């Protein structure tokens, strides 16, 4: 029996002049239509519906917002948010065609995940492909993130998600058999070991192209701190030249389009404070594979206020990382470290850059915990070299640091990335400050990582580079009532007051006795 073919769907198309609306919608394409726009009224659009915008052979999907102010967008105009305008790549006033958008092809797979089903490899590839192309609204992204968090992905699903995230962006190839990197799962303020590890490992001769993210919920990321010393937003060609010349770099990874779906997913994960193990593993490993890494040392800190709070939890996470890394053919060395307190003294871009440069210059004021942690992690990376015997890496790393070779390599990298004037003896700190004092005599028995990071962010970090918290006491230090525990710096009076109020409610420090110190069993 013959089956009549269905008539093709005809999608109405209308033309409008595009207008750039200077609103940062953070990884979401948003279109603005005036309520009295003939297209809006005729096509049956409504707020939060999706439209397709085409021009010059390019197309984007965008979520509709309705405007009543003609000064924002006129009746013959289509307003586009910053992200959407940049993706479409046309000038103000250019004519674009607008039509109702077809649902993303992967919507069926998304609905199955929401229902709690286990998805196949092709399902994850379809979903991640649509996410990378900005075909999902924030509501749909949130549904996917929550569904993956509620019904935790099994380890094979985590591999499928990681593999799909690698496939959607660029994948760098350095044409070398061994490309090393180090990463921390986060949650520990001041943990700027990467800025020490890169010059140490590069001075040893290993290739270490470090592309880092900016801080989203922390007081500073590696890219934010490196930006105090040099430019971090580099074209991919320049970044490659620097790596070839100096065996390493410290740059922001956003310009390289590595695992772009991860950047979109982070835009909804972080506001929801969702950081499930599966999504964490996929996020970290997809970025490392896309960046061309072959060998990775992964830092998992554990402590009462770290992301991971017990050894059994750390071991479960380690096994998941190792399984997915093995499937992705990435050599992985997981190190479980002490996350009971911040690393170093400074929290915030300028203060953390000060600590890094003091360690590199072997300054006696350098924080020893930052130095030692960086040396041990660098040693583990150096042991990826087949010519180095296991256990010898630490001594080699220490020699490179003590001899000044790491400092020389860091200065070369800084100069190549467009160095900025910075004197760690006179760091440009915020002009406004206050001190937090010990309420009683005793021993520093606890430091809340989350609260001290929150105080630093309220003070303005990382957007205000010179803002942050300078720790004067660490775990185990004896204090007398009235001693300064830490000093807060801010660039603006409002930020200073927000930080002051937060610290007065909870200082982040607990004073007790030596017996009250939290115990944690780590690998070094």
């Amino acid at each position: 029996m013959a089956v009549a073919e269905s008539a093709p769907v005809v999608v109405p198309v209308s033309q409008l002049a595009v207008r750039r609306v200077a609103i940062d919608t953070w990884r979401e394409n948003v279109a603005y239509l005036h309520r009295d726009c003939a297209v809006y009224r005729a096509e049956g659009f409504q707020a939060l519906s999706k439209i397709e915008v085409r021009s010059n052979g390019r197309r984007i999907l965008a979520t509709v917002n309705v405007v009543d102010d003609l000064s924002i967008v006129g009746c013959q105009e289509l307003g586009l948010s910053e992200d959407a305008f940049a993706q479409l790549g046309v000038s103000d006033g250019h004519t674009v065609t607008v039509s109702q958008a077809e649902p993303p092809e992967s919507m069926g797979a998304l609905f199955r995940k929401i229902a709690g089903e286990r998805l196949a490899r092709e399902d994850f590839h379809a979903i991640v492909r649509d996410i990378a192309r900005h075909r999902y609204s924030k509501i749909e992204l949130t549904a996917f993130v929550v569904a993956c968090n509620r019904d935790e992905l099994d380890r094979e699903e985590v591999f499928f998600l990681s593999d799909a995230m690698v496939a959607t962006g660029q994948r760098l190839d350095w044409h070398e058999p061994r490309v090393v990197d180090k990463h921390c799962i986060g949650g520990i303020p001041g943990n700027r070991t990467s800025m020490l590890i890169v010059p140490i490992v590069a001075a040893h001769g290993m290739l270490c192209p470090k592309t880092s993210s900016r801080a989203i919920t922390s007081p500073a990321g590696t890219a934010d701190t490196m930006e105090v010393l040099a430019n971090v937003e580099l074209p991919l060609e320049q970044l490659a030249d620097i790596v070839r010349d100096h065996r390493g770099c410290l740059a922001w990874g956003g310009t390289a389009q590595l695992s772009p779906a991860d950047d979109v997913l982070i835009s909804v994960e972080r506001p929801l404070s969702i950081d499930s193990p599966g999504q964490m593993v996929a996020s970290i490993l997809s970025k490392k594979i896309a960046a061309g890494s072959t060998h990775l040392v992964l830092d998992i800190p554990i402590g009462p206020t770290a992301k991971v709070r017990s050894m059994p939890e750390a071991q479960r996470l380690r096994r998941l990382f190792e399984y997915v890394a093995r499937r992705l053919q990435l050599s992985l060395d997981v190190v479980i470290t002490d996350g009971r307190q911040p690393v170093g003294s400074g929290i915030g871009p300028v203060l953390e850059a000060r600590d890094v440069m003091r360690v590199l210059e072997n300054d006696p004021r350098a924080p020893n915990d930052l130095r030692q942690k960086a040396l041990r992690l660098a040693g583990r990376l150096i042991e990826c070299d087949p010519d180095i015997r296991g256990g010898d890496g630490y001594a080699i790393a220490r020699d490179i640091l003590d001899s000044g070779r790491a400092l020389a390599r860091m200065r070369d990298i800084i100069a190549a990335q467009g160095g900025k004037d910075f004197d760690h003896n006179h760091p440009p700190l915020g002009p406004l400050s206050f001190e937090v004092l010990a309420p009683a005599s005793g021993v520093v028995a606890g430091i809340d990582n989350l609260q001290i990071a929150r105080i630093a962010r309220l003070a303005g970090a990382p957007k205000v580079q010179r803002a942050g918290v300078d720790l004067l006491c660490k775990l185990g230090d004896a204090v007398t009532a009235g001693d300064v525990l830490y000093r807060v710096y801010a660039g603006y009076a409002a930020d200073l007051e927000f930080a002051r109020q937060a610290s007065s409610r909870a200082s982040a420090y607990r004073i007790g006795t030596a017996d009250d110190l939290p115990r944690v069993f780590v690998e070094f």
Side-chain angles (χ1 to χ4, degrees), residues 491-511:
Y492 302 97
D495 292 345
L496 189 78
E497 186 57 30
F498 289 142
R500 191 195 304 273
Q501 290 175 11
S503 64
S504 65
R505 287 191 294 269
S507 72
Y509 272 65
R510 180 167 56 88
I511 307 301

Side-chain angles (χ1 to χ4, degrees), residues 72-388:
I72 297 175
V73 62
C75 292
Q76 304 301 317
E77 294 177 320
L78 173 74
L80 292 179
S81 65
E82 293 282 19
D83 277 337
F85 187 83
Q87 284 181 46
L88 193 59
V90 298
S91 57
D92 261 328
H94 194 89
T95 299
V96 298
T97 58
V98 181
S99 62
Q100 292 188 357
E102 293 295 317
E105 295 177 3
S106 63
M107 197 54 62
L110 172 62
F111 288 152
R112 294 202 307 277
K113 193 61 194 173
I114 292 172
E117 291 186 26
R118 182 182 183 280
L119 298 185
R121 185 173 190 163
E122 57 269 21
D123 294 324
F124 280 103
H125 274 260
I127 289 172
V128 171
R129 189 164 51 244
D130 281 337
I131 289 172
R133 294 173 179 172
H134 295 269
R135 298 183 70 86
Y136 274 31
S137 68
K138 281 286 175 68
I139 294 172
E140 291 158 345
L141 286 169
T142 302
F144 176 66
V145 167
V146 171
C148 291
N149 183 67
R150 183 194 62 196
D151 299 308
E152 182 55 57
L153 305 177
D154 66 36
R155 65 180 193 170
E156 194 169 30
E157 283 185 298
V158 177
F159 164 64
F160 293 156
L161 178 58
S162 306
D163 184 57
M165 290 166 70
V166 172
T168 57
Q170 289 195 80
R171 185 166 178 176
L172 304 181
D173 185 353
W174 299 100
H175 303 288
E176 296 213 12
R178 201 164 283 100
V179 179
V180 301
D181 201 352
K182 166 266 167 189
H183 191 84
C184 177
I185 66 167
I188 307 299
N191 194 20
R192 289 285 76 80
T193 55
S194 292
M195 292 180 65
L196 299 166
I197 292 167
V198 170
I200 291 172
V201 171
H204 178 67
M206 304 181 84
L207 195 74
C208 189
K210 183 67 178 173
T211 55
S212 305
S213 60
R214 292 187 180 276
I216 297 176
T217 59
S218 66
T222 297
D224 301 299
T225 304
M226 183 64 181
E227 197 167 37
V228 174
L229 307 175
N231 298 325
V232 296
E233 297 189 12
L234 305 171
L236 193 55
E237 298 77 12
Q238 183 183 356
L239 186 147
D241 288 341
I242 292 170
V243 172
R244 277 192 292 269
D245 291 342
H246 304 291
R247 306 296 290 171
C249 70
L250 285 152
W252 177 57
T255 55
Q257 280 294 295
L258 306 176
S259 187
D262 181 50
D263 296 328
V264 180
L265 287 170
I266 285 173
S267 71
V268 297
E269 288 170 355
R270 296 301 168 85
L272 293 171
S273 297
I274 289 178
D275 198 10
S276 68
Q279 290 165 336
M280 179 196 300
V281 170
S283 173
I284 291 171
L285 295 188
S286 67
K287 279 280 176 67
K288 299 306 171 186
I289 293 291
S293 298
T294 62
H295 293 70
L296 173 66
V297 168
L298 182 73
D299 174 15
I300 300 181
I302 61 173
T305 57
K307 283 186 179 181
V308 176
R309 304 195 175 187
S310 70
M311 183 58 79
E313 185 183 352
Q315 295 290 9
R316 285 194 298 271
L317 185 60
R318 165 190 253 165
R319 287 193 293 270
L320 181 57
F321 266 110
E322 289 173 341
Y323 172 81
V324 177
R326 188 164 56 250
R327 293 287 302 270
L328 292 169
Q329 298 183 322
L330 174 69
S331 177
L332 178 66
D333 180 13
V334 177
V335 185
I336 297 172
T337 62
D338 185 352
R340 294 175 298 168
Q341 63 177 332
V343 176
S345 302
I347 302 169
V350 164
L351 287 163
E352 293 179 28
R354 176 202 67 187
D355 286 356
V356 165
M357 294 310 299
R358 285 181 177 175
V359 172
L360 285 169
E361 294 192 8
N362 295 301
D363 190 302
R365 296 168 295 177
N368 191 54
D369 59 344
L370 177 62
R371 172 189 162 89
Q372 290 302 320
K373 184 171 185 178
L375 285 174
R376 293 189 182 278
L377 292 172
R380 298 286 276 257
L381 271 182
I382 288 171
E383 288 169 16
C384 295
D385 184 340
D387 295 330
I388 301 301

Side-chain angles (χ1 to χ4, degrees), residues 345 435-440 443-444 446-447 452 469-474 477-480 482-488 507-511:
S345 302
E435 295 176 342
V436 173
L437 310 180
V443 170
V444 176
I447 302 177
I452 207 75
V469 173
D470 199 9
L471 305 178
L472 303 182
C473 297
K474 302 293 284 286
D477 288 351
V479 296
T480 302
D483 285 353
V484 179
L485 298 174
Y486 59 87
R487 191 170 290 114
V488 179
S507 72
Y509 272 65
R510 180 167 56 88
I511 307 301

Side-chain angles (χ1 to χ4, degrees), residues 9-16 31 33 39-40 42-46 49-55 58-64 78 96-103 135:
V9 177
V10 178
V11 181
V13 175
S14 303
Q15 292 191 330
L16 294 169
L33 286 171
V39 173
Y40 172 72
E43 304 294 354
F45 295 137
Q46 57 183 332
S49 63
K50 280 189 287 188
I51 62 172
E52 182 174 279
V53 184
R54 291 178 177 267
S55 181
R58 303 179 72 174
R59 69 168 188 167
I60 63 168
L61 294 188
T63 302
V64 172
L78 173 74
V96 298
T97 58
V98 181
S99 62
Q100 292 188 357
E102 293 295 317
R135 298 183 70 86

